[in-house]
Amino acid sequence: MTNRGWALLPLRGVLGLVFLVHGGQKLLQFGISGTAAFLGSLGLPLTTVVAVGLIAVELLGGLALILGVGTRVAATLLGADMLGALLMVHLRGGFFVPDGVEFVLTLLAGLVALAGLGPGPWSIDRTRAEAP
């Protein structure tokens, strides 16, 4: 067991939890229509379709990271989500939270690391790869 392997477990778990909760917030608090309205305010087309996709990526991607299943794909999709949030929402807010890029940039960096390194040994991905 390498230190890198252990280090990926809390990274996956925390990032997964953050996205699971944010996806849940979008679905349960704002609703699809509220999320679509926000996306419309950014000038995006097909806002309901994008809202459903965004919510699905955050909920399912967050769960995938926690479990370590489809980790590279989930991290890549969530990274695209964060890149969009950074460019369309947070960049104009400067660096610091609550409106700036600080938090989104941190999430993006962790997702890039997971996309590149994979899930680590404590994951369903690794267990399936080692199964006979």
Side-chain angles (χ1 to χ4, degrees):
M1 186 66 46
T2 66
N3 288 337
R4 182 178 76 170
W6 280 100
L8 293 171
L9 182 61
L11 181 62
R12 272 194 3 251
V14 170
L15 288 174
L17 180 62
V18 166
F19 283 103
L20 188 63
V21 171
H22 274 268
Q25 180 187 38
K26 285 178 179 71
L27 179 63
L28 301 173
Q29 185 177 350
F30 307 140
I32 293 172
S33 61
T35 302
F38 173 72
L39 296 169
S41 75
L42 300 174
L44 292 174
L46 302 169
T47 56
T48 300
V49 173
V50 175
V52 169
L54 181 63
I55 291 167
V57 164
E58 291 187 3
L59 283 172
L60 297 175
L63 184 60
L65 291 184
I66 291 168
L67 297 174
V69 61
T71 302
R72 290 180 193 263
V73 172
T76 300
L77 292 172
L78 290 166
D81 176 10
M82 289 300 92
L83 185 58
L86 188 140
L87 295 173
M88 291 187 279
V89 179
H90 295 279
L91 194 58
R92 64 179 156 236
F95 184 77
F96 297 104
V97 295
D99 299 321
V101 300
E102 179 179 23
F103 180 59
V104 173
L105 194 60
T106 302
L107 293 174
L108 180 58
L111 293 165
V112 168
L114 285 177
L117 294 171
W122 295 91
S123 64
I124 291 175
D125 285 341
R126 185 59 51 95
T127 303
R128 289 190 332 205
E130 294 174 358

